[in-house]
Amino acid sequence: MLYHPDKHRDPELKRQAEQLFTYVHQAYEVLSDPQSRAIYDIFGKKGLEVEGWEVVERKRTPAEIREEYERLQRERDERRLQQRTNPKGTISVGIDATDLFDRYEEDFEDAPGGGFPHIDINRMHISQSIEAPLTTSDTAVLSGSLSTRNGNGGGNINLCVSAVFYATVGPLAIYLAVQKLIIMPYVRAQKEQELEKQKEDSASEIARRKQEAEASVLLMQESVKRIIDAEESKMGLIILNAWYGKFVSDNSQKPERAKVIDVTVPLQCLVKDSKLTLTEASKAGLPGFYDPCVGEEKSLKLLYQFRGALHQVLSGDTEPLRLPKQSHRISSET
């Protein structure tokens, strides 16, 4: 009802409502169809797009669809594991077939066993190796081999680790120093580079989500006013301030700036009968929200009023949240 175009007379609000109502319609089509909903519950939008998956028969039950998709996912994970570990193996066998080619015909007649030539397996070699990626450029290789020749055999196991881990062959003290001074900073730098690339790749998507969130907040204004009036009349739940994103602690070891957005209006719009319930999912998907810091840890910070008393809570991004709660109340001494 909030996004229905007919609920808005202002031409600009009506245009924005039409765009957002399209998503509501798409969501309804998915969730009202048992097969589509079963796929979405497991794999989200990717499952609906059937990227890389086999097409599942429409006549199957939701339980059968789940089973089929889980099987396909296991197969995909196994393929990815093989690609990452790159397992290689060889088996070679030495056969002595001299008796087959270097004998006179009369020897075959005198040989026991019906005159068949004697063939020996006198040598065998088996080798196997797997790779374990440590970083984007470093890989550890574990290999082993087993050989036997004329009844005598032997084997070996080798571990070849990338240059970053060369100190593991030295004393433990040197390894710990390398771990702290080289490996950890290197891995941290790699993660930061990957995060920056992720932000660059998703910049257009973030801009789109931000625009949609701002449009949603505009469409919520009238509803929020009515909700606040109703809650104030019964000393109910009033959201005073709400912020979502990455907060900077006082004891942070490096200078950072907070990356948060104001979500006071969207949360007040979700209040019903003096209660607010958020499920166990990322809050970036809520109406009026967007992700202000992709790939980073986020929280929701709330200051609200209930029955005339102030309450405050800090909740993790995917943690469920229910308001009001006695444990959120700010004491008069504070």
Side-chain angles (χ1 to χ4, degrees), residues 243-248 258-261 263 289-293 296-301 314-315 317:
W243 302 91
Y244 172 70
K246 180 182 179 181
F247 296 89
V248 179
K259 303 172 185 176
V260 297
I261 56 174
V263 291
F289 281 62
Y290 69 93
D291 192 340
C293 45
E296 300 184 61
E297 188 175 342
K298 292 171 281 291
S299 303
L300 175 65
K301 191 173 185 178
L314 181 66
S315 174
D317 185 27

Side-chain angles (χ1 to χ4, degrees), residues 96-257:
D96 182 0
T98 306
D99 204 32
L100 179 61
F101 302 101
D102 192 20
R103 291 184 63 181
Y104 293 105
E105 292 184 4
E106 57 268 22
D107 292 336
F108 283 97
E109 297 175 358
D110 299 334
F116 290 101
H118 183 66
I119 298 176
D120 287 327
I121 298 177
N122 57 12
R123 179 175 56 83
M124 181 178 290
H125 177 80
I126 302 173
S127 64
Q128 179 76 31
S129 69
I130 58 171
E131 298 177 359
L134 302 173
T135 65
T136 54
S137 58
D138 300 318
T139 303
V141 180
L142 179 65
S143 61
S145 63
L146 181 66
S147 300
T148 177
R149 188 181 183 89
N150 297 326
N152 298 317
N156 62 76
I157 298 176
N158 299 311
L159 176 63
C160 175
V161 192
S162 63
V164 175
F165 285 85
Y166 69 90
T168 55
V169 299
L172 179 60
I174 298 178
Y175 166 74
L176 293 175
V178 172
Q179 175 82 4
K180 185 175 182 180
L181 299 176
I182 298 178
I183 300 175
M184 292 178 65
Y186 175 78
V187 173
R188 190 160 47 246
Q190 286 290 112
K191 288 183 178 180
E192 290 177 357
Q193 289 179 8
E194 290 174 4
L195 182 59
E196 287 302 318
K197 187 177 185 304
Q198 185 180 0
K199 289 179 181 178
E200 291 176 5
D201 294 342
S202 57
S204 58
E205 178 65 16
I206 293 172
R208 184 184 68 81
R209 288 285 297 158
K210 181 180 179 181
Q211 186 178 9
E212 290 176 358
E214 291 171 347
S216 294
V217 171
L218 286 175
L219 296 171
M220 292 174 183
Q221 296 295 335
E222 289 189 16
S223 296
V224 166
K225 287 178 183 177
R226 291 196 298 269
I227 293 171
I228 290 176
D229 290 343
E231 292 297 322
E232 284 180 341
S233 67
K234 55 185 177 183
M235 296 185 69
L237 179 59
I238 306 293
I239 309 296
L240 301 176
N241 280 303
W243 302 91
Y244 172 70
K246 180 182 179 181
F247 296 89
V248 179
S249 59
D250 296 335
N251 57 356
S252 178
Q253 296 186 5
K254 63 178 182 178
E256 290 183 289
R257 65 180 183 85

Side-chain angles (χ1 to χ4, degrees), residues 13-33:
L13 292 179
K14 192 179 187 71
R15 183 186 66 80
Q16 293 176 343
E18 287 173 349
Q19 290 180 330
L20 294 171
F21 194 71
T22 301
Y23 297 124
V24 178
H25 181 66
Q26 291 172 353
Y28 177 79
E29 285 188 332
V30 170
L31 299 180
S32 60
D33 178 75

Side-chain angles (χ1 to χ4, degrees), residues 280-322:
E280 189 176 352
S282 175
K283 297 170 179 62
L286 292 172
F289 281 62
Y290 69 93
D291 192 340
C293 45
V294 174
E296 300 184 61
E297 188 175 342
K298 292 171 281 291
S299 303
L300 175 65
K301 191 173 185 178
L302 273 162
L303 178 67
Y304 65 94
Q305 184 174 302
F306 180 69
R307 293 180 181 172
L310 290 177
H311 295 67
Q312 184 172 285
V313 61
L314 181 66
S315 174
D317 185 27
T318 57
E319 292 178 3
L321 181 65
R322 293 176 65 89

